[in-house]
């Protein structure tokens, strides 16, 4: 029995990589994730066992999918309740945004971070296009950066076009499986190009292909970097698919709020109206970022049906 990594998966054929060997595999049998129905049984990032079909050495049959450490899904485009697996076994998610050109609402950033916490995928923040920022924006940049570092996230200011701090980002990707997320226009393609020149054309082709039809089922693909890392191209998603959680879980997904909540007087403190709430005190003292707290409150106050973040 051989073992390999799924690097591409389109419908019924799955590309498995073992060392330098590439095997095209079909799947046999049913593989289900507890509690959800998915349109696709395997996805990029999966580690699988397969059997080679003897008379054709580069074709095989997948017989087992190893337990996933995490996975991301989104609603299947066919209006059913099914979910589509986008990728699995992700080591880290880079969230790229810009303070200007275009302006990214920080609540978008916080929602992404909540989702990544809920998915158990470590997030790393990249603030791009710093070469274009004027003095005022640079002041804002240092505050924003400080807030996210205080929250416990790695946070880098970069310029994909000028190459600023790109070496650090490339090093973070070494031997790891990464996804890069962010709104369109923030510089994801430029970053991939800066990280590894050889990759860009491939990824660009894929991206423009996916722009054709929003509702066609798009499949993810993994690209190997020269340093052994992989980047997963997740077609068409700004964030990371969807996830459900309960109102009282939201505080868990803001790491700095979670830390403070241990000292709140009430077990289950919502950090809104309770007396002696450490979170509110921290906001008043300027120790917890008001912008982060506002995002927390906005997510909390939403209609319950919207806790599903997409
Ligand atoms: P994507 O939609 O996230 O893939 O964004 P692109 O990589 O296509 O970038 C959108 C535009 O922003 C392009 O015109 C890029 O040249 C430009 N851009 C990307 N990164 C930077 C940067 O660091 N500095 C500047 N000045 N422009 C950038
Ligand atoms: Zn509290």
């Amino acid at each position: 029995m051989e073992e390999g990594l799924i690097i591409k998966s389109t419908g019924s054929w799955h590309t498995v990589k073992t060392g330098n060997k590439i095997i095209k595999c079909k799947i046999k049998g049913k593989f289900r994730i507890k509690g959800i129905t998915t349109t696709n049984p395997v996805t990029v990032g999966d580690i699988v066992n397969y059997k080679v079909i003897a008379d054709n050495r580069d074709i095989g049959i997948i017989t087992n999918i190893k337990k996933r450490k995490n996975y991301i899904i989104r609603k299947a485009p066919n209006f059913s309740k099914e979910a589509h697996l986008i990728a699995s076994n992700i080591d880290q998610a880079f969230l790229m945004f810009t303070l200007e050109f275009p302006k990214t609402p920080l609540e978008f950033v916080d929602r992404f971070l909540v989702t990544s916490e809920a998915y158990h995928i470590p997030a790393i923040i990249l603030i791009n296009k710093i070469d274009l920022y004027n003095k005022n924006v640079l002041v804002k940049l240092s505050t924003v950066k400080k807030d996210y570092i205080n929250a416990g996230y790695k946070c880098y200011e970069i310029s994909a076009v000028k190459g600023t701090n790109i070496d650090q980002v490339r090093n973070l990707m070494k031997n790891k499986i990464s996804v890069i997320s962010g709104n369109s226009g923030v510089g994801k393609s430029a970053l991939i190009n800066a990280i590894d020149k050889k990759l860009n054309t491939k990824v660009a082709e894929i991206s423009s292909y996916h722009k054709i039809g929003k509702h066609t089922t798009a499949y993810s693909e993994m690209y190997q970097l020269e340093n052994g890392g992989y980047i997963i191209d997740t077609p068409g998603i700004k964030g990371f698919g969807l996830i459900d959680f309960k109102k009282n879980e939201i505080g868990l997904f803001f790491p700095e709020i979670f830390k403070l909540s241990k000292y709140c007087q009430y077990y289950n403190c919502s950090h809104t109206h309770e007396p002696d709430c450490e979170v509110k005190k921290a906001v008043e003292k300027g120790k917890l970022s008001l912008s982060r707290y506002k995002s927390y409150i906005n997510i909390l106050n939403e209609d319950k049906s919207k806790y599903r973040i997409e």
Side-chain angles (χ1 to χ4, degrees):
M1 193 80 69
E2 308 245 23
E3 187 176 300
L5 171 72
I6 307 268
I7 55 167
K8 187 177 175 178
S9 170
T10 49
S12 54
W13 285 101
H14 314 288
T15 310
V16 181
K17 188 169 187 287
T18 306
N20 289 323
K21 260 192 315 192
I22 298 286
I23 317 280
K24 290 257 179 195
C25 289
K26 290 218 164 199
I27 197 156
K28 207 180 143 196
K30 290 223 184 298
F31 298 94
R32 293 199 176 282
I33 303 177
K34 226 175 147 188
I36 55 167
T37 326
T38 60
T39 51
N40 50 340
V42 289
T43 188
V44 295
D46 275 334
I47 308 279
V48 298
N49 294 117
Y50 63 93
K51 269 194 295 219
V52 172
I53 296 173
D55 49 0
N56 191 335
R57 305 301 302 176
D58 53 8
I59 291 188
I61 293 167
I62 293 169
T63 53
N64 178 47
I65 303 166
K66 295 259 166 123
K67 193 172 171 353
R68 301 175 171 113
K69 75 172 177 187
N70 57 36
Y71 56 85
I72 53 181
I73 53 175
R74 72 165 160 188
K75 256 178 275 177
N78 57 5
F79 303 102
S80 71
K81 280 188 178 158
E82 290 183 327
H84 186 76
L85 273 170
I86 300 169
S88 74
N89 298 321
I90 299 149
D91 292 311
Q92 56 197 5
F94 288 89
L95 173 60
M96 196 166 184
F97 72 95
T98 44
L99 289 174
E100 295 282 343
F101 319 112
K103 212 181 203 116
T104 309
L106 292 179
E107 193 173 322
F108 169 82
V109 175
D110 294 328
R111 282 169 178 275
F112 179 93
L113 296 174
V114 162
T115 318
S116 80
E117 293 293 336
Y119 272 128
H120 305 291
I121 301 170
I124 298 172
I125 293 168
L126 305 177
I127 307 174
N128 190 34
K129 304 200 188 181
I130 57 160
D131 56 293
L132 297 180
Y133 297 169
N134 66 24
K135 260 194 189 147
N136 289 339
V137 182
L138 287 174
V139 171
K140 186 171 177 212
L141 171 69
S142 69
T143 315
V144 169
K145 214 177 134 185
K146 196 183 88 220
D147 286 349
Y148 287 111
I149 289 171
N150 279 343
Y153 296 101
K154 284 184 188 151
C155 187
Y156 297 86
E157 44 188 88
I158 65 167
S159 169
V161 162
K162 302 271 183 218
T164 317
N165 294 334
I166 297 302
D167 286 348
Q168 290 182 58
V169 178
R170 191 187 296 109
N171 275 334
L172 291 168
M173 291 178 174
K174 195 173 173 180
N175 298 326
K176 295 214 165 133
I177 296 181
S178 306
V179 294
I180 303 174
S181 297
N183 282 332
S184 125
V186 299
K188 296 181 296 298
S189 315
L191 174 71
I192 291 169
N193 186 40
I195 297 281
D196 196 326
K197 270 230 148 54
K198 284 187 197 151
L199 280 189
N200 193 45
T201 41
K202 262 198 210 162
V203 179
E205 278 165 23
I206 299 279
S207 303
S208 55
Y209 166 75
H210 288 308
K211 276 175 198 144
I212 296 168
K214 221 177 165 184
H215 295 288
T216 50
T217 307
Y219 293 91
S220 317
E221 188 159 354
M222 264 170 54
Y223 299 96
Q224 190 162 20
L225 302 173
E226 280 180 344
N227 66 13
Y230 284 97
I231 292 178
I232 298 179
D233 187 34
T234 52
I237 56 162
K238 289 195 273 189
F240 251 164
L242 60 112
I243 192 146
D244 286 317
F245 45 80
K246 299 189 189 79
K247 205 169 186 138
N248 62 6
E249 287 180 322
I250 295 166
L252 309 176
F253 303 141
F254 282 78
E256 74 280 44
I257 291 181
F258 175 62
K259 260 193 205 157
L260 288 165
S261 70
K262 292 174 191 160
Y263 306 102
C264 288
Q265 197 172 331
Y266 295 98
Y267 172 80
N268 254 348
C269 184
S270 69
H271 322 305
T272 52
H273 59 275
E274 294 89 345
D276 260 335
C277 168
E278 291 299 323
V279 173
K280 279 196 297 176
K281 278 193 230 163
V283 176
E284 278 155 24
K285 284 187 211 149
K287 287 187 176 160
L288 176 69
S289 136
L290 185 59
S291 148
R292 290 275 291 164
Y293 183 66
K294 276 187 182 158
S295 296
Y296 167 76
I297 295 292
N298 285 346
I299 297 174
L300 196 69
N301 285 340
E302 254 170 5
D303 183 343
K304 195 169 190 317
S305 62
K306 289 197 199 142
Y307 289 156
R308 172 172 277 235
I309 283 187
E310 195 165 5

